[in-house]
Amino acid sequence: MSFTFSARTLLELGKELISSDEVALYELIKNAVDAQSPRVEIIVNVQLRFSDYCEAVARIEKRKSKSEVVRFIRKSLIAQKNVDSISLLDELSSIKNRQAFSEKLKEFYDRLNYIEVRDTGHGMSLKELSDVFLRIGTYSRRSENLEGARYLGDKGIGRLSAMRLGNHLRVKTCRRKDARWNLLDIDWTLFSHDEDVNVDTIIIEPRVGKEKVKSNDHGTIIRISALQGDWDLERFSGILQGRIARMVDPFDFGLANRLITARHNGDRIQIPSIPRELIRAAHAACHVKFRMDGQTPVLEGEIDYRYRQRKCRIDFKGAEIYSFAQNAIKRRAKRGHAAYKLVPVRPSALENLGAFNCDIYWFNRRVVTAVEGLTSKTADTRTEIAHWSGGPMLYRYGFRILPYGDPEDDWLALDETAFGVSGFKLNRQQVIGRVLIETPHSALKEQTNRQGLIDSDTFDALQRILLWMVHSQMREFINEADEMDLIERRKADQDTKILSKTQSRVNMALERLRKRVGDMADAEIKNLSKSISELTARSEGLIKRMESVIEEADEEREKFVYLAGIGLMTEFIFHELERAVSYTIDLISRGSLQQRTIESLQDQLRTLQKRIAAFDELTSERRQTKSSFDLADLLRQILENHAREFERHGIKVNFENVQSPFVIKAVRGMVIQILENLIVNAAYWLKQQKRFELEFRPNLTVSINVEHRRLTVEDNGPGVTEEWSERIFQPFVTTKPIGQGRGLGLYIAREMAEYHGWKLHMDNEIGRIHKGRINMFVLDLE
């Protein structure tokens, strides 16, 4: 015994897998391209619309008079002076038998209404018609794709698209070396739902046809008749100028018309491309290229905000890309950094992805005007934008992968983010774009129903890189240029208020810890509880002072810096607190409670208490009061507070201390923020580089030069390019994953340095650039 299936199942496959007539036509075009045809000809010949034919049949069944039906058909004919139409009317008028009348009408409809797709590709032999074309799900192209071929399809089901368009199919094909044409006729009505037969009982035999007129003829002609939809000029033109125009890369001007010749009743129909004038009129453009340099991923390109005449280079590689390509999975009921679990991208995913290009054009609809050489008024420009917008479309080998970029598909979350963030204007109605991949089917497989790519590490990596590029780079660069500080200030304000809720969650975690431990180690537990209570009390006091600062905050830049700085540091402390407590609870739940477990937690709590005390004065009433203190001693304390973190991640710290105290007069809390942000930034990138490079040995060097009154923080992580050495100090610029980086740490550090008349910059002058990347921050105290 073996599986068999009813013939009507084939109809179900065609109906479910080919979602629309446009997709069906597109599948036939792709088949022609895969046959290596330089051109594809689509011919639609329609004398009577399907809907009008159905109405005529209905009138016959209702036993309307023959003359009335003939008058209706005459009125409905698209070309009444067509020779075949005139012949039909004459024949119908002379027929008296109602059954014969119906049969003649059907014969006319089936014969004179058809769609033909012609190509001059390699064609098929009689054996290939039988063994390949008639074998649904053939593996031939897939196996060739695995060997490096660039076929657009590899599932062997595209031919089912023909059944969606019409009930009758004729295939006429031959190879260059064949002497005769090979023919295949299929009547899809034999597979009807009304027929309860197995598919193997319906015999379909290819046959040899007439001799070729020209010996070098080759290719395939697909004729679909007994059409099941209206294919008048208006609809056919709409399909070609709408969805089909997007399916062949419309950014390559004229490509669709070079590939496809489309005619309706003999008249040529042009397929539009995106007008070059429209692309040149975009207010901002982003062009990036991704590639693998050996085993190192590289992302290069440029954001050009033409409207503001500002540009930004994109140049990231290695650990930077592994950082923002991580998947930040949202955790329920958690907030801040603890709300996300980071899942690193697999190196193999980026290797399989290979190279891709991305081009995105953004239009600010509020300032759109007429485009010279294209439109005469603003409304026309907006209409043209609307015709091509919808977000970046995805193309493989120059042909569209559906549905990315369709009206109902928001694969890069443009609208989701746009409607959820105040002042954000980078939505799909304002974006025209494309992503060009060369990734083979073996790494990025399409779903059988043509509704997207199958989920995989490779597709996730592609999507993450593009999400980061659009949201963290292009969006923020536009906002930065448009001076969106006030709007983003309010967002930072709201983010900071959320921290008060985080406090309650931390208290609950501590309470669970007390219940779990019980009386197992009474003395230690009492000490631990005392530390927890003290830390909780101090944290609550800090929150209250934060809320006071929030109430006082207005549009002044100085207060915004304080507010954002407090938020960042407090969130980090709560994150470390939750990490320590959660780790201890996990050990207890596994029965691993030991003396050293409690001692470890106590040590970590004491460290966090020191960190709270260290910047406690930043939120006090005397936060702007300058005092004299030893910078070297303060720096030593801060490094000690990070000692456990450095130990966990194998970061070697070199503190080039001075022999004598280096006393400065400054706002101590601000200096703490500056140093914290520089050290936290360096530690983050050292961790990322270690993930990317297994043999990497992270080093952090901090030094003070008393003579030149200079402090430097240097690491051997990925660094940044010289072009980015200034941009990273701008607010909201970050290379961390979506949902993780706010891009405020370095901005706050520089603002606080400038408050003291100091200069914080990246060292690109004294030979510290390593392989074109800068790895040193310099704080000049003069």
Side-chain angles (χ1 to χ4, degrees), residues 28 135 408:
L28 295 176
R135 182 180 175 84
E408 68 279 2

Side-chain angles (χ1 to χ4, degrees), residues 171-201:
V171 181
K172 182 180 179 182
T173 183
C174 70
R175 300 171 300 174
R176 189 185 297 273
K177 62 182 181 180
D178 293 335
R180 294 175 174 270
W181 289 96
N182 301 304
L183 303 177
L184 176 67
D185 288 293
I186 301 177
D187 181 355
W188 297 115
T189 62
L190 296 176
F191 300 85
S192 168
H193 292 275
D194 298 330
E195 300 292 336
D196 189 17
V197 296
N198 285 345
V199 69
D200 55 359
T201 63

Side-chain angles (χ1 to χ4, degrees), residues 17 72 375 391 408 635 697:
L17 299 180
F72 172 78
T375 61
E408 68 279 2
L635 185 54
R697 296 182 178 179

